Amino acid sequence: MNSELIHMNILDKIVADKRIEVELRKNLIPPSQLEKSVLFERPTISLAKTLQNSTTGVIAEHKRRSPSKSVINQSVSVQDVATGYEKAGACGMSVLTDAKYFGGSLDDLLLARSAVQMPLLRKEFIIDEYQLLEAKAHGADVILLIAAVLTKNEIKHLSEFAKNLHLDVLLEVHNLEELEKSIMPSLDMLGVNNRNLKTFEVSIATSKELCNHIPDDFVKVSESGISNIEAIQELQPYGYKGFLIGENFMKTANPGASAIDFITQLAKNKK
């Protein structure tokens, strides 16, 4: 079986599991209960605006494990990581909330929110507007939509629903086909994932290739494979303002300290 099939099977499997999970959660906690959350009325902070005004553009991630890497870091507390990232000057923090494949939870989002003021992204496989209500009720400012698992109509519906909740929308694409079906006014940021879903290979060339196809109305974000400041310096001239960095910080014993070193070095080397 080739890697394309394996990867698409993982994606299909994650989404199938997610549909079951969301239905179960809906039965436990009705939308009306989420809307009564203390955090539901909290004014959100725009990650897109923060990135536009930043010279470094780092979005730092909290990720315990992944389907491809199994364990990355199970020992650090999400509050410590969040505080470290904020102290480092990250523009925002991405919090993985998928339990089965990434070892995350909505509690992680809540704990991060209790510790910091910076914009928080709920990193999740979003397929239902219920998950957007969950994101808002647990303190998120931004949600991720993945073009590979959604139709054009679903992207439109979910992004418009998110905007009504005052949440920023980051839409992730892997190729030109996904990008072309996704461009619409209800998005704030377009993220190019440098990981090829067919081969698993990671190359920032993907971000370079797609940059001219992204209209200037959107903040450009590059994701995956950014493990050194050179990659960021290489992508900035292509108009990228945001850089999602996950495993690079999380695979160390102190992700916050790693982020401080990285961002300090990046600021120093500003051309």
Side-chain angles (χ1 to χ4, degrees):
M1 192 190 247
N2 67 23
S3 59
E4 177 180 0
L5 280 175
I6 293 167
H7 202 288
M8 292 322 277
N9 284 352
I10 285 179
L11 213 49
D12 289 345
K13 193 164 169 15
I14 290 173
V15 171
D17 285 342
K18 194 58 61 182
R19 289 191 195 286
I20 296 164
E21 183 193 313
V22 171
E23 286 311 310
L24 289 171
R25 292 174 90 96
K26 273 187 198 172
N27 291 332
L28 281 175
I29 303 169
S32 57
Q33 197 173 323
L34 290 171
E35 287 165 3
K36 287 185 192 128
S37 151
V38 177
L39 289 169
F40 209 83
E41 298 307 315
R42 172 188 157 267
T44 49
I45 315 154
S46 170
L47 177 61
K49 288 197 178 84
T50 307
L51 290 173
Q52 275 168 327
N53 299 321
S54 168
T55 54
T56 53
V58 171
I59 306 161
E61 191 156 84
H62 179 265
K63 173 160 63 172
R64 289 189 180 86
R65 56 187 170 88
S66 74
S68 58
K69 285 267 166 73
S70 58
V71 173
I72 298 163
N73 191 333
Q74 300 274 29
S75 59
V76 285
S77 87
V78 70
Q79 298 101 310
D80 289 349
V81 173
T83 311
Y85 285 165
E86 189 169 61
K87 193 176 156 197
C91 291
M93 177 176 176
S94 161
V95 182
L96 270 132
T97 61
D98 174 78
K100 185 169 179 181
Y101 296 92
F102 291 89
S105 73
L106 278 163
D107 278 351
D108 288 340
L109 192 55
L110 213 48
L111 291 168
R113 178 78 291 150
S114 70
V116 296
Q117 296 300 311
M118 66 178 161
L120 296 181
L121 162 73
R122 180 185 187 189
K123 186 105 177 270
E124 180 56 271
F125 297 86
I126 288 177
I127 41 136
D128 192 296
E129 59 189 43
Y130 179 81
Q131 293 163 288
L132 305 180
L133 296 174
E134 283 183 324
K136 178 82 171 164
H138 288 78
D141 301 280
V142 195
I143 57 106
L144 175 77
L145 296 178
I146 302 170
V149 301
L150 298 166
T151 65
K152 184 174 185 169
N153 284 343
E154 286 170 332
I155 293 167
K156 184 174 189 296
H157 173 72
L158 291 167
S159 57
E160 286 174 357
F161 192 88
K163 295 314 295 170
N164 287 336
L165 294 173
H166 306 290
L167 293 165
D168 268 10
V169 180
L170 167 63
L171 185 111
E172 175 180 299
V173 300
H174 295 85
N175 54 45
L176 186 57
E177 186 189 354
E178 288 178 8
L179 178 61
E180 285 175 340
K181 80 168 180 185
S182 307
I183 292 173
M184 54 187 77
S186 44
L187 309 175
D188 302 285
M189 295 162 281
L190 272 160
V192 177
N193 192 325
N194 298 308
R195 188 181 298 280
N196 184 318
L197 282 186
K198 297 178 180 176
T199 62
F200 273 114
E201 282 168 16
V202 177
S203 166
I204 61 169
T206 312
S207 285
K208 293 177 184 177
E209 284 157 19
L210 293 183
C211 80
N212 292 332
H213 299 278
I214 301 173
D216 291 337
D217 329 7
F218 306 104
V219 176
K220 296 179 194 174
V221 177
S222 186
E223 309 169 22
S224 292
I226 297 159
S227 55
N228 53 43
I229 64 164
E230 290 75 24
I232 291 179
Q233 288 169 334
E234 218 178 300
L235 287 169
Q236 282 172 331
Y238 289 85
Y240 284 90
K241 296 292 285 177
F243 306 93
L244 185 73
I245 301 177
E247 288 170 21
N248 199 46
F249 300 147
M250 283 303 290
K251 68 186 180 192
T252 65
N254 187 334
S258 304
I260 290 170
D261 291 345
F262 188 94
I263 294 171
T264 306
Q265 200 188 348
L266 184 59
K268 248 189 237 163
N269 285 272
K270 196 81 196 95
K271 287 177 181 168

